[in-house]
Amino acid sequence: MITVLIADDQELVRTGFRVILESEGDIEVVSEARNGHEAIRQAALVKPRVILMDIRMPELDGLAATEQILQQPDPPTIVVLTTFDQNEYIYRALRAGAAGFLLKDAPSSRLVAAVRAAATGDSLIEPSITQRLVERFAEPAAVPGTPDQLAQLTDRELDVLRLVARALSNAEIAEEMMIAETTVKTHVARILTKLAIRDRVQAVVLAYETGFVGRDT
């Protein structure tokens, strides 16, 4: 069972998400929070596997709450809830360690998919969000060669990282590279270990910040 904490200051949003998620047989909403302080307390108390975290909340926002929750022992995976006008917040959430992003007006199927992806470590990022991040923060073109930060990766792992940076799922990468999905998972795990980063979302950030992947890639 995938346990979920919903943190959002709007009761209607929380209720709607709860109804959608609990209609699935493998997901249980174990708690709700109206602000960042409540989210931190509930995360420590109920130990959910996944948190759906709104960015803008009273008293303490979702970014600060995300940073503090991820410092807890055995922290949950956090999926940030956002809207189209929050580019800067999205980037800060990436740096804080959020493992995925979901637009608040996304269809219910995307909500369920985001929770399941987060629970298995296969983060979900909306392609539209990735594109906006690339346009704002990436270099115009990738720098020739491999940046020093990525020098320890094998050629195969670099190929996987390029596709991760395009927000492809493990299944999509497997199809693109014509390899088994389990092999992709192994490559991704090795990439994260070698780069000493938490998840594939941070791998996306690093790929763009180092110039390994750029706008024209």
Side-chain angles (χ1 to χ4, degrees):
M1 184 66 69
I2 303 171
T3 54
V4 178
L5 164 63
I6 301 173
D8 194 292
D9 62 328
Q10 299 182 47
E11 183 178 359
L12 285 176
V13 172
R14 298 196 307 272
T15 300
F17 283 2
R18 176 185 284 273
V19 170
I20 292 169
L21 294 175
E22 292 196 333
S23 67
E24 304 293 322
D26 60 336
I27 302 175
E28 178 186 6
V29 177
V30 293
S31 187
E32 298 179 11
R34 297 169 295 179
N35 57 60
H37 290 304
E38 288 187 5
I40 293 169
R41 288 194 297 269
Q42 290 301 312
L45 181 64
V46 303
K47 298 289 186 182
R49 286 178 63 184
V50 178
I51 296 179
L52 296 176
M53 180 77 75
D54 187 22
I55 289 179
R56 293 177 179 171
M57 292 188 293
E59 298 186 30
L60 186 72
D61 66 30
L63 294 175
T66 293
E67 292 173 344
Q68 293 189 41
I69 290 171
L70 291 177
Q71 294 175 5
Q72 296 176 358
D74 192 23
T77 301
I78 297 179
V79 176
V80 170
L81 305 173
T82 186
T83 58
F84 272 107
D85 64 345
Q86 296 177 322
N87 286 0
E88 183 63 33
Y89 290 105
I90 293 170
Y91 189 71
R92 287 174 56 196
L94 276 169
R95 300 304 302 270
F101 294 87
L102 184 71
L103 296 173
K104 279 193 170 184
D105 60 354
S108 58
S109 60
R110 294 291 287 175
L111 172 64
V112 174
V115 169
R116 287 181 176 146
T120 59
D122 188 7
S123 305
L124 183 147
I125 313 174
E126 294 281 0
S128 58
I129 292 176
T130 302
Q131 181 60 35
R132 287 183 292 125
L133 287 172
V134 170
E135 289 174 353
R136 182 163 184 179
F137 297 107
E139 296 297 327
V143 178
T146 302
D148 291 342
Q149 298 96 317
L150 309 180
Q152 58 189 311
L153 301 183
T154 66
D155 289 343
R156 197 65 158 171
E157 289 165 351
L158 290 171
D159 289 339
V160 171
L161 180 59
R162 286 189 184 92
L163 298 178
V164 168
R166 285 169 46 192
L168 270 63
S169 68
N170 286 344
E172 291 168 334
I173 293 173
E175 182 177 357
E176 179 88 7
M177 297 182 67
M178 294 184 290
I179 58 178
E181 187 173 349
T182 54
T183 303
V184 175
K185 290 181 180 179
T186 298
H187 285 313
V188 171
R190 288 175 178 167
I191 290 169
L192 301 183
T193 299
K194 288 182 178 181
L195 299 180
I197 53 180
R198 181 183 298 108
D199 53 49
R200 63 197 294 135
V201 175
Q202 291 189 328
V204 173
V205 174
L206 185 60
Y208 284 114
E209 287 188 335
T210 60
F212 175 66
V213 175
R215 296 178 189 172
D216 301 333
T217 301

